[in-house]
Amino acid sequence: MSKERTEISSLGEFGLIDHLTKNIELQNASSVLGVGDDAAVIDHFGKQTVITTDLLLEGVHFDLVYTPLKHLGYKSVIVNLSDVYAMNAIPTQVIMSIGISNRFSVEAIDEFYEGVYAACNKYGVDLVGGDTTSSQKGLVISVTAIGEVTPDTYVKRSTAKKGDLLCVSGDLGAAYVGLLFLEREKKIYMESPGVQPDLEGESYVIGRLLKPEARKDIVEFFAKEEIQPTAMIDISDGLSSEILHICKESALGCVLYEEKIPIAEEMKKAAFKFEIDPTACALSGGEDYELLFTIAQSDYEKLVLNEQISVVGYMTEPDQGAHIITKGGGKHAITAQGWNHLKQNNS
Ligand code: ADP
Ligand code: MG
């Protein structure tokens, strides 16, 4: 099974850039000028521009032992789009910069870009630029996403109001359990390379880790139903940590109900295999790329139309603090490390 291997040096930097970007067809009117000049030109036609960037380092943010390059390319784009959606904006362009060593062949970089373009096509964004450099060791990925929003309808973390409903999209904690499986199999593989990985039946949680999606549908739903969230953040570091951001930035407290936290059946089963509490995974796991937002109670009727949205609590006066009411009726302070705390109390 020897795969073809083309050295990057045979194309050179400009040859590689041309190879990677030659088939781009711009999809957005706002992409006035794309790849090929000193800079891209973007016209958002009276809209406001949202911009965000992420740096992803091999060994810190991803592990190529169990992350296929195509998935990595896809996820690199998605994590940035998620930040744009968290502003209630629509992403329109991305800029992708990579640092690569000669460990990677042209075929490997092609695989990475297959994932990049798959995400761009699915979300209707244009790749309009980037930078390509050599790295001595380790893959470096920097992605910038640009989006547009009708003036002053962007949503900050700091503007939640007392009495607002606290809501989340999708389900939480699965990506973390997916990571536990992959780390376990990696360890077994490192100790005895002949053993085939045993990931049977875990495709949901592993898929949530390796191929996350961004909640475009939720932002479109807000626009359609004319819902203006009062505060919003994307859930990349676990529900606890993101709730505390909204509370702190908005100078409020909150009540979160454990029983309302959306958890997929697949994730619950998988968590039990590791003897960990599914709630703890949702609170502290991370990499869900769901949205956490607050809305005025008067918008509740509109929200129930969407099965992908769960109301998990409400905002309170700041002196009430941030609390979780457990299934057993206990009341505990939400901490950024809510996990050990809950494990002790619940299992
Ligand atoms: P400069 O030397 O002016 O920075 P480059 O030669 O680095 O220009 O880039 C040429 C063009 O190719 C630019 O439009 C740049 O944005 C784009 N580009 C470079 N690397 C990449 C990449 N990895 N992915 C997408 N576009 C890229
Ligand atoms: Mg350059």
Side-chain angles (χ1 to χ4, degrees):
M1 268 211 348
S2 71
K3 251 194 176 170
E4 208 180 323
R5 182 184 163 99
T6 310
E7 298 299 331
I8 289 170
S9 57
S10 72
L11 293 181
E13 181 191 336
F14 300 123
L16 177 67
I17 295 171
D18 183 54
H19 173 77
L20 294 175
T21 58
K22 63 177 184 289
N23 292 326
I24 292 178
E25 285 175 24
L26 297 175
Q27 308 172 67
N28 292 288
S30 56
S31 304
V32 177
L33 184 66
V35 166
D37 217 303
D38 294 310
V41 179
I42 295 170
D43 187 342
H44 279 133
F45 306 105
K47 298 272 183 82
Q48 286 174 340
T49 300
V50 169
I51 182 159
T52 175
T53 194
D54 266 308
L55 182 62
L56 302 163
L57 303 179
E58 182 177 356
V60 179
H61 302 98
F62 57 88
D63 188 333
L64 289 175
V65 169
Y66 51 70
T67 312
L69 281 165
K70 187 173 169 182
H71 289 70
L72 183 61
Y74 192 87
K75 185 168 176 174
S76 303
V77 173
I78 293 298
V79 300
N80 272 266
L81 302 187
S82 179
D83 281 323
V84 175
Y85 291 122
M87 298 303 290
N88 200 33
I90 301 296
T92 45
Q93 286 85 18
V94 286
I95 293 177
M96 167 67 67
S97 299
I98 49 176
I100 38 180
S101 69
N102 57 11
R103 176 159 64 101
F104 295 94
S105 63
V106 172
E107 287 77 13
I109 303 302
D110 274 341
E111 258 179 67
F112 178 83
Y113 266 78
E114 255 183 65
V116 169
Y117 287 123
C120 287
N121 289 335
K122 178 155 184 183
Y123 290 84
V125 304
D126 294 320
L127 179 65
V128 293
D131 200 12
T132 310
T133 67
S134 56
S135 141
Q136 292 201 332
K137 207 168 145 266
L139 177 59
V140 179
I141 304 164
S142 166
V143 189
T144 299
I146 297 163
E148 59 178 39
V149 64
T150 304
D152 304 322
T153 61
Y154 61 88
V155 177
K156 301 196 288 182
R157 300 173 175 184
S158 58
T159 38
K161 299 277 172 298
K162 184 189 133 195
D164 285 351
L165 301 174
L166 188 60
C167 309
V168 297
S169 65
D171 60 80
L172 302 177
Y176 176 69
V177 186
L179 177 67
L180 293 181
F181 273 107
L182 291 174
E183 288 284 351
R184 184 191 71 186
E185 292 309 311
K186 178 186 170 185
K187 198 156 165 273
I188 294 171
Y189 177 82
M190 292 303 193
E191 282 159 14
S192 39
V195 181
Q196 286 297 308
D198 175 19
L199 299 168
E200 257 317 284
E202 306 304 345
S203 59
Y204 182 75
V205 294
I206 289 168
R208 290 283 279 160
L209 178 75
L210 295 182
K211 195 175 177 291
E213 299 293 348
R215 294 318 298 246
K216 179 183 195 199
D217 60 321
I218 301 291
V219 171
E220 288 174 347
F221 171 78
F222 292 151
K224 185 163 155 274
E225 298 300 327
E226 296 180 355
I227 296 169
Q228 175 73 12
T230 51
M232 187 149 61
I233 187 168
D234 74 326
I235 306 178
S236 52
D237 294 332
L239 182 60
S240 294
S241 161
E242 315 302 357
I243 284 181
L244 291 175
H245 278 302
I246 288 194
C247 286
K248 181 162 177 267
E249 299 295 321
S250 296
L252 292 174
C254 76
V255 174
L256 167 71
Y257 293 97
E258 182 188 10
E259 63 179 354
K260 304 281 188 200
I261 299 172
I263 282 170
E265 224 19 69
E266 296 92 329
M267 145 11 183
K268 208 189 256 179
K269 282 193 198 134
F272 287 146
K273 288 190 192 166
F274 282 97
E275 298 182 0
I276 53 174
D277 179 4
T279 301
C281 297
L283 288 175
S284 307
E287 299 223 75
D288 293 306
Y289 302 108
E290 295 294 343
L291 293 173
L292 170 71
F293 55 93
T294 55
I295 58 155
Q297 286 185 27
S298 55
D299 279 331
Y300 176 73
E301 295 297 320
K302 293 178 186 169
L303 264 202
V304 292
L305 299 170
N306 194 323
E307 286 181 352
Q308 288 293 313
I309 296 175
S310 308
V311 178
V312 294
Y314 61 92
M315 306 307 291
T316 64
E317 296 279 8
D319 55 7
Q320 306 281 303
H323 287 99
I324 179 167
I325 309 289
T326 62
K327 289 173 185 164
K331 184 176 175 186
H332 305 277
I334 297 174
T335 63
Q337 307 83 17
W339 178 170
N340 287 325
H341 177 79
L342 271 176
K343 203 177 171 193
Q344 284 158 14
N345 283 291
N346 274 3
S347 52

mmCIF file of all heavy atoms in Angstrom, residues 75-115:
data_model
loop_
_atom_site.group_PDB
_atom_site.id
_atom_site.type_symbol
_atom_site.label_atom_id
_atom_site.label_comp_id
_atom_site.label_asym_id
_atom_site.label_seq_id
_atom_site.Cartn_x
_atom_site.Cartn_y
_atom_site.Cartn_z
ATOM 1 N N LYS A 75 -11.849 20.852 10.930
ATOM 2 C CA LYS A 75 -12.034 21.382 12.284
ATOM 3 C C LYS A 75 -11.369 22.751 12.464
ATOM 4 O O LYS A 75 -11.905 23.620 13.151
ATOM 5 C CB LYS A 75 -11.482 20.376 13.303
ATOM 6 C CG LYS A 75 -11.721 20.764 14.744
ATOM 7 C CD LYS A 75 -11.420 19.603 15.683
ATOM 8 C CE LYS A 75 -11.571 20.025 17.130
ATOM 9 N NZ LYS A 75 -11.430 18.886 18.055
ATOM 10 N N SER A 76 -10.211 22.942 11.823
ATOM 11 C CA SER A 76 -9.505 24.229 11.930
ATOM 12 C C SER A 76 -10.397 25.367 11.451
ATOM 13 O O SER A 76 -10.385 26.461 12.027
ATOM 14 C CB SER A 76 -8.232 24.229 11.082
ATOM 15 O OG SER A 76 -7.400 23.176 11.463
ATOM 16 N N VAL A 77 -11.160 25.116 10.394
ATOM 17 C CA VAL A 77 -12.084 26.136 9.884
ATOM 18 C C VAL A 77 -13.283 26.261 10.831
ATOM 19 O O VAL A 77 -13.662 27.363 11.235
ATOM 20 C CB VAL A 77 -12.538 25.793 8.447
ATOM 21 C CG1 VAL A 77 -13.622 26.756 7.972
ATOM 22 C CG2 VAL A 77 -11.336 25.832 7.494
ATOM 23 N N ILE A 78 -13.847 25.119 11.213
ATOM 24 C CA ILE A 78 -15.066 25.119 12.043
ATOM 25 C C ILE A 78 -14.894 25.887 13.357
ATOM 26 O O ILE A 78 -15.768 26.642 13.757
ATOM 27 C CB ILE A 78 -15.496 23.659 12.356
ATOM 28 C CG1 ILE A 78 -15.946 22.931 11.084
ATOM 29 C CG2 ILE A 78 -16.587 23.610 13.433
ATOM 30 C CD1 ILE A 78 -17.142 23.510 10.393
ATOM 31 N N VAL A 79 -13.758 25.701 14.026
ATOM 32 C CA VAL A 79 -13.602 26.345 15.336
ATOM 33 C C VAL A 79 -13.633 27.869 15.198
ATOM 34 O O VAL A 79 -14.094 28.581 16.097
ATOM 35 C CB VAL A 79 -12.331 25.881 16.102
ATOM 36 C CG1 VAL A 79 -12.385 24.375 16.340
ATOM 37 C CG2 VAL A 79 -11.047 26.249 15.386
ATOM 38 N N ASN A 80 -13.172 28.357 14.049
ATOM 39 C CA ASN A 80 -13.222 29.803 13.801
ATOM 40 C C ASN A 80 -14.616 30.262 13.420
ATOM 41 O O ASN A 80 -15.068 31.318 13.850
ATOM 42 C CB ASN A 80 -12.246 30.167 12.680
ATOM 43 C CG ASN A 80 -10.881 30.439 13.246
ATOM 44 O OD1 ASN A 80 -10.541 31.569 13.519
ATOM 45 N ND2 ASN A 80 -10.112 29.391 13.459
ATOM 46 N N LEU A 81 -15.298 29.478 12.610
ATOM 47 C CA LEU A 81 -16.663 29.853 12.218
ATOM 48 C C LEU A 81 -17.544 29.902 13.459
ATOM 49 O O LEU A 81 -18.418 30.767 13.595
ATOM 50 C CB LEU A 81 -17.234 28.861 11.193
ATOM 51 C CG LEU A 81 -16.442 28.699 9.890
ATOM 52 C CD1 LEU A 81 -17.229 27.826 8.907
ATOM 53 C CD2 LEU A 81 -16.103 30.045 9.269
ATOM 54 N N SER A 82 -17.303 28.981 14.384
ATOM 55 C CA SER A 82 -18.077 28.933 15.620
ATOM 56 C C SER A 82 -17.961 30.264 16.382
ATOM 57 O O SER A 82 -18.946 30.761 16.929
ATOM 58 C CB SER A 82 -17.588 27.765 16.474
ATOM 59 O OG SER A 82 -18.298 27.707 17.682
ATOM 60 N N ASP A 83 -16.774 30.850 16.386
ATOM 61 C CA ASP A 83 -16.585 32.143 17.063
ATOM 62 C C ASP A 83 -17.360 33.252 16.353
ATOM 63 O O ASP A 83 -17.885 34.159 16.996
ATOM 64 C CB ASP A 83 -15.091 32.503 17.105
ATOM 65 C CG ASP A 83 -14.348 31.753 18.197
ATOM 66 O OD1 ASP A 83 -14.925 31.552 19.282
ATOM 67 O OD2 ASP A 83 -13.192 31.365 17.965
ATOM 68 N N VAL A 84 -17.422 33.187 15.037
ATOM 69 C CA VAL A 84 -18.188 34.203 14.285
ATOM 70 C C VAL A 84 -19.680 34.053 14.594
ATOM 71 O O VAL A 84 -20.359 35.037 14.901
ATOM 72 C CB VAL A 84 -17.928 34.092 12.768
ATOM 73 C CG1 VAL A 84 -18.830 35.067 11.994
ATOM 74 C CG2 VAL A 84 -16.465 34.363 12.446
ATOM 75 N N TYR A 85 -20.194 32.821 14.567
ATOM 76 C CA TYR A 85 -21.609 32.591 14.893
ATOM 77 C C TYR A 85 -21.923 33.046 16.314
ATOM 78 O O TYR A 85 -23.013 33.553 16.588
ATOM 79 C CB TYR A 85 -21.986 31.110 14.716
ATOM 80 C CG TYR A 85 -21.992 30.667 13.268
ATOM 81 C CD1 TYR A 85 -21.195 29.611 12.829
ATOM 82 C CD2 TYR A 85 -22.806 31.311 12.336
ATOM 83 C CE1 TYR A 85 -21.199 29.206 11.507
ATOM 84 C CE2 TYR A 85 -22.815 30.916 11.007
ATOM 85 C CZ TYR A 85 -22.011 29.862 10.590
ATOM 86 O OH TYR A 85 -22.017 29.476 9.279
ATOM 87 N N ALA A 86 -20.954 32.869 17.216
ATOM 88 C CA ALA A 86 -21.171 33.264 18.614
ATOM 89 C C ALA A 86 -21.346 34.775 18.754
ATOM 90 O O ALA A 86 -21.811 35.249 19.792
ATOM 91 C CB ALA A 86 -20.015 32.780 19.480
ATOM 92 N N MET A 87 -20.990 35.523 17.715
ATOM 93 C CA MET A 87 -21.238 36.973 17.701
ATOM 94 C C MET A 87 -22.580 37.283 17.045
ATOM 95 O O MET A 87 -22.926 38.439 16.841
ATOM 96 C CB MET A 87 -20.122 37.698 16.932
ATOM 97 C CG MET A 87 -18.736 37.555 17.527
ATOM 98 S SD MET A 87 -18.625 38.121 19.223
ATOM 99 C CE MET A 87 -18.817 39.887 19.017
ATOM 100 N N ASN A 88 -23.328 36.237 16.656
ATOM 101 C CA ASN A 88 -24.592 36.380 15.921
ATOM 102 C C ASN A 88 -24.344 36.879 14.493
ATOM 103 O O ASN A 88 -25.201 37.520 13.879
ATOM 104 C CB ASN A 88 -25.551 37.333 16.649
ATOM 105 C CG ASN A 88 -26.994 37.159 16.225
ATOM 106 O OD1 ASN A 88 -27.431 36.052 15.897
ATOM 107 N ND2 ASN A 88 -27.744 38.253 16.208
ATOM 108 N N ALA A 89 -23.151 36.584 13.976
ATOM 109 C CA ALA A 89 -22.765 37.040 12.643
ATOM 110 C C ALA A 89 -22.669 35.851 11.689
ATOM 111 O O ALA A 89 -22.656 34.698 12.128
ATOM 112 C CB ALA A 89 -21.424 37.755 12.724
ATOM 113 N N ILE A 90 -22.622 36.156 10.391
ATOM 114 C CA ILE A 90 -22.513 35.124 9.358
ATOM 115 C C ILE A 90 -21.094 35.157 8.788
ATOM 116 O O ILE A 90 -20.673 36.188 8.256
ATOM 117 C CB ILE A 90 -23.532 35.390 8.216
ATOM 118 C CG1 ILE A 90 -24.968 35.399 8.762
ATOM 119 C CG2 ILE A 90 -23.374 34.376 7.078
ATOM 120 C CD1 ILE A 90 -25.434 34.072 9.338
ATOM 121 N N PRO A 91 -20.345 34.050 8.905
ATOM 122 C CA PRO A 91 -18.984 34.055 8.363
ATOM 123 C C PRO A 91 -19.000 34.093 6.839
ATOM 124 O O PRO A 91 -19.858 33.465 6.212
ATOM 125 C CB PRO A 91 -18.383 32.746 8.863
ATOM 126 C CG PRO A 91 -19.529 31.880 9.200
ATOM 127 C CD PRO A 91 -20.687 32.773 9.544
ATOM 128 N N THR A 92 -18.087 34.826 6.269
ATOM 129 C CA THR A 92 -18.046 34.971 4.807
ATOM 130 C C THR A 92 -16.683 34.623 4.208
ATOM 131 O O THR A 92 -16.620 34.160 3.076
ATOM 132 C CB THR A 92 -18.423 36.418 4.408
ATOM 133 O OG1 THR A 92 -17.718 37.320 5.268
ATOM 134 C CG2 THR A 92 -19.918 36.654 4.542
ATOM 135 N N GLN A 93 -15.607 34.860 4.943
ATOM 136 C CA GLN A 93 -14.271 34.565 4.421
ATOM 137 C C GLN A 93 -13.404 33.912 5.498
ATOM 138 O O GLN A 93 -13.621 34.172 6.689
ATOM 139 C CB GLN A 93 -13.549 35.863 3.974
ATOM 140 C CG GLN A 93 -14.038 36.471 2.681
ATOM 141 C CD GLN A 93 -15.247 37.385 2.877
ATOM 142 O OE1 GLN A 93 -15.523 37.832 3.977
ATOM 143 N NE2 GLN A 93 -15.981 37.653 1.803
ATOM 144 N N VAL A 94 -12.444 33.105 5.064
ATOM 145 C CA VAL A 94 -11.398 32.630 5.986
ATOM 146 C C VAL A 94 -10.024 32.828 5.359
ATOM 147 O O VAL A 94 -9.874 32.832 4.130
ATOM 148 C CB VAL A 94 -11.528 31.125 6.392
ATOM 149 C CG1 VAL A 94 -12.659 30.900 7.363
ATOM 150 C CG2 VAL A 94 -11.629 30.215 5.205
ATOM 151 N N ILE A 95 -9.039 32.977 6.218
ATOM 152 C CA ILE A 95 -7.634 33.076 5.812
ATOM 153 C C ILE A 95 -6.906 31.962 6.547
ATOM 154 O O ILE A 95 -7.086 31.792 7.756
ATOM 155 C CB ILE A 95 -7.076 34.465 6.183
ATOM 156 C CG1 ILE A 95 -7.789 35.516 5.321
ATOM 157 C CG2 ILE A 95 -5.576 34.525 5.990
ATOM 158 C CD1 ILE A 95 -7.410 36.927 5.627
ATOM 159 N N MET A 96 -6.143 31.172 5.803
ATOM 160 C CA MET A 96 -5.537 29.959 6.357
ATOM 161 C C MET A 96 -4.018 30.028 6.218
ATOM 162 O O MET A 96 -3.509 30.046 5.099
ATOM 163 C CB MET A 96 -6.087 28.768 5.560
ATOM 164 C CG MET A 96 -5.391 27.446 5.755
ATOM 165 S SD MET A 96 -5.576 26.758 7.396
ATOM 166 C CE MET A 96 -7.316 26.385 7.430
ATOM 167 N N SER A 97 -3.302 30.065 7.322
ATOM 168 C CA SER A 97 -1.835 30.059 7.251
ATOM 169 C C SER A 97 -1.296 28.782 7.860
ATOM 170 O O SER A 97 -1.800 28.316 8.878
ATOM 171 C CB SER A 97 -1.273 31.272 7.987
ATOM 172 O OG SER A 97 -1.747 32.443 7.370
ATOM 173 N N ILE A 98 -0.270 28.233 7.210
ATOM 174 C CA ILE A 98 0.267 26.957 7.682
ATOM 175 C C ILE A 98 1.800 27.006 7.758
ATOM 176 O O ILE A 98 2.463 27.619 6.922
ATOM 177 C CB ILE A 98 -0.166 25.778 6.754
ATOM 178 C CG1 ILE A 98 0.082 26.103 5.275
ATOM 179 C CG2 ILE A 98 -1.629 25.433 6.969
ATOM 180 C CD1 ILE A 98 -0.235 24.954 4.315
ATOM 181 N N GLY A 99 2.343 26.360 8.775
ATOM 182 C CA GLY A 99 3.784 26.141 8.884
ATOM 183 C C GLY A 99 4.005 24.640 8.793
ATOM 184 O O GLY A 99 3.442 23.890 9.589
ATOM 185 N N ILE A 100 4.749 24.199 7.777
ATOM 186 C CA ILE A 100 4.885 22.754 7.532
ATOM 187 C C ILE A 100 6.350 22.349 7.399
ATOM 188 O O ILE A 100 7.156 23.077 6.835
ATOM 189 C CB ILE A 100 4.126 22.329 6.243
ATOM 190 C CG1 ILE A 100 4.271 23.397 5.152
ATOM 191 C CG2 ILE A 100 2.663 22.047 6.528
ATOM 192 C CD1 ILE A 100 3.560 23.077 3.868
ATOM 193 N N SER A 101 6.666 21.179 7.910
ATOM 194 C CA SER A 101 8.028 20.667 7.770
ATOM 195 C C SER A 101 8.055 19.668 6.611
ATOM 196 O O SER A 101 7.005 19.290 6.092
ATOM 197 C CB SER A 101 8.446 19.967 9.060
ATOM 198 O OG SER A 101 7.692 18.777 9.214
ATOM 199 N N ASN A 102 9.251 19.230 6.244
ATOM 200 C CA ASN A 102 9.355 18.293 5.105
ATOM 201 C C ASN A 102 8.851 16.887 5.457
ATOM 202 O O ASN A 102 8.827 16.005 4.619
ATOM 203 C CB ASN A 102 10.777 18.248 4.545
ATOM 204 C CG ASN A 102 11.782 17.863 5.606
ATOM 205 O OD1 ASN A 102 11.408 17.432 6.702
ATOM 206 N ND2 ASN A 102 13.063 18.034 5.301
ATOM 207 N N ARG A 103 8.407 16.710 6.704
ATOM 208 C CA ARG A 103 7.724 15.473 7.098
ATOM 209 C C ARG A 103 6.434 15.310 6.290
ATOM 210 O O ARG A 103 5.954 14.205 6.068
ATOM 211 C CB ARG A 103 7.397 15.592 8.590
ATOM 212 C CG ARG A 103 6.602 14.492 9.219
ATOM 213 C CD ARG A 103 6.825 14.517 10.730
ATOM 214 N NE ARG A 103 6.323 15.734 11.349
ATOM 215 C CZ ARG A 103 5.152 15.804 12.007
ATOM 216 N NH1 ARG A 103 4.375 14.749 12.128
ATOM 217 N NH2 ARG A 103 4.778 16.937 12.570
ATOM 218 N N PHE A 104 5.847 16.438 5.866
ATOM 219 C CA PHE A 104 4.588 16.388 5.123
ATOM 220 C C PHE A 104 4.851 16.398 3.623
ATOM 221 O O PHE A 104 5.662 17.165 3.138
ATOM 222 C CB PHE A 104 3.701 17.585 5.498
ATOM 223 C CG PHE A 104 3.275 17.545 6.928
ATOM 224 C CD1 PHE A 104 3.996 18.216 7.901
ATOM 225 C CD2 PHE A 104 2.169 16.795 7.316
ATOM 226 C CE1 PHE A 104 3.628 18.152 9.229
ATOM 227 C CE2 PHE A 104 1.791 16.726 8.640
ATOM 228 C CZ PHE A 104 2.525 17.405 9.601
ATOM 229 N N SER A 105 4.117 15.531 2.932
ATOM 230 C CA SER A 105 4.205 15.511 1.474
ATOM 231 C C SER A 105 3.114 16.422 0.920
ATOM 232 O O SER A 105 2.219 16.860 1.644
ATOM 233 C CB SER A 105 3.960 14.086 0.977
ATOM 234 O OG SER A 105 2.645 13.681 1.324
ATOM 235 N N VAL A 106 3.179 16.667 -0.382
ATOM 236 C CA VAL A 106 2.117 17.434 -1.039
ATOM 237 C C VAL A 106 0.773 16.714 -0.846
ATOM 238 O O VAL A 106 -0.252 17.343 -0.588
ATOM 239 C CB VAL A 106 2.435 17.625 -2.536
ATOM 240 C CG1 VAL A 106 1.255 18.256 -3.265
ATOM 241 C CG2 VAL A 106 3.686 18.484 -2.703
ATOM 242 N N GLU A 107 0.797 15.371 -0.929
ATOM 243 C CA GLU A 107 -0.443 14.595 -0.761
ATOM 244 C C GLU A 107 -1.054 14.816 0.635
ATOM 245 O O GLU A 107 -2.277 14.898 0.781
ATOM 246 C CB GLU A 107 -0.185 13.094 -0.975
ATOM 247 C CG GLU A 107 0.055 12.702 -2.430
ATOM 248 C CD GLU A 107 1.457 13.049 -2.939
ATOM 249 O OE1 GLU A 107 2.348 13.368 -2.102
ATOM 250 O OE2 GLU A 107 1.666 13.013 -4.160
ATOM 251 N N ALA A 108 -0.179 14.905 1.645
ATOM 252 C CA ALA A 108 -0.679 15.117 3.008
ATOM 253 C C ALA A 108 -1.325 16.502 3.123
ATOM 254 O O ALA A 108 -2.409 16.648 3.702
ATOM 255 C CB ALA A 108 0.463 14.970 4.015
ATOM 256 N N ILE A 109 -0.695 17.510 2.569
ATOM 257 C CA ILE A 109 -1.254 18.869 2.630
ATOM 258 C C ILE A 109 -2.551 18.941 1.813
ATOM 259 O O ILE A 109 -3.497 19.640 2.191
ATOM 260 C CB ILE A 109 -0.220 19.919 2.128
ATOM 261 C CG1 ILE A 109 1.071 19.820 2.942
ATOM 262 C CG2 ILE A 109 -0.792 21.334 2.204
ATOM 263 C CD1 ILE A 109 0.908 20.015 4.430
ATOM 264 N N ASP A 110 -2.590 18.182 0.721
ATOM 265 C CA ASP A 110 -3.833 18.102 -0.071
ATOM 266 C C ASP A 110 -4.987 17.571 0.771
ATOM 267 O O ASP A 110 -6.110 18.062 0.684
ATOM 268 C CB ASP A 110 -3.655 17.150 -1.263
ATOM 269 C CG ASP A 110 -3.068 17.862 -2.466
ATOM 270 O OD1 ASP A 110 -3.139 19.104 -2.509
ATOM 271 O OD2 ASP A 110 -2.536 17.165 -3.359
ATOM 272 N N GLU A 111 -4.692 16.550 1.553
ATOM 273 C CA GLU A 111 -5.733 15.971 2.414
ATOM 274 C C GLU A 111 -6.247 17.009 3.402
ATOM 275 O O GLU A 111 -7.446 17.146 3.626
ATOM 276 C CB GLU A 111 -5.149 14.809 3.230
ATOM 277 C CG GLU A 111 -5.510 13.449 2.705
ATOM 278 C CD GLU A 111 -4.850 12.389 3.575
ATOM 279 O OE1 GLU A 111 -5.225 12.260 4.756
ATOM 280 O OE2 GLU A 111 -3.929 11.722 3.059
ATOM 281 N N PHE A 112 -5.305 17.736 3.999
ATOM 282 C CA PHE A 112 -5.662 18.807 4.931
ATOM 283 C C PHE A 112 -6.584 19.826 4.239
ATOM 284 O O PHE A 112 -7.636 20.199 4.766
ATOM 285 C CB PHE A 112 -4.382 19.472 5.447
ATOM 286 C CG PHE A 112 -4.630 20.625 6.370
ATOM 287 C CD1 PHE A 112 -4.884 20.416 7.718
ATOM 288 C CD2 PHE A 112 -4.618 21.928 5.885
ATOM 289 C CE1 PHE A 112 -5.124 21.486 8.574
ATOM 290 C CE2 PHE A 112 -4.858 23.009 6.735
ATOM 291 C CZ PHE A 112 -5.107 22.784 8.075
ATOM 292 N N TYR A 113 -6.208 20.219 3.028
ATOM 293 C CA TYR A 113 -7.005 21.218 2.298
ATOM 294 C C TYR A 113 -8.350 20.666 1.839
ATOM 295 O O TYR A 113 -9.306 21.418 1.683
ATOM 296 C CB TYR A 113 -6.201 21.824 1.129
ATOM 297 C CG TYR A 113 -5.521 23.091 1.571
ATOM 298 C CD1 TYR A 113 -4.354 23.044 2.325
ATOM 299 C CD2 TYR A 113 -6.081 24.339 1.311
ATOM 300 C CE1 TYR A 113 -3.763 24.201 2.791
ATOM 301 C CE2 TYR A 113 -5.500 25.503 1.771
ATOM 302 C CZ TYR A 113 -4.331 25.436 2.497
ATOM 303 O OH TYR A 113 -3.769 26.591 2.972
ATOM 304 N N GLU A 114 -8.420 19.358 1.627
ATOM 305 C CA GLU A 114 -9.733 18.759 1.306
ATOM 306 C C GLU A 114 -10.721 19.065 2.423
ATOM 307 O O GLU A 114 -11.886 19.401 2.183
ATOM 308 C CB GLU A 114 -9.607 17.236 1.189
ATOM 309 C CG GLU A 114 -9.641 16.710 -0.223
ATOM 310 C CD GLU A 114 -9.575 15.193 -0.192
ATOM 311 O OE1 GLU A 114 -10.513 14.546 0.320
ATOM 312 O OE2 GLU A 114 -8.546 14.667 -0.662
ATOM 313 N N GLY A 115 -10.237 18.919 3.656
ATOM 314 C CA GLY A 115 -11.073 19.231 4.818
ATOM 315 C C GLY A 115 -11.388 20.714 4.910
ATOM 316 O O GLY A 115 -12.523 21.102 5.201
#
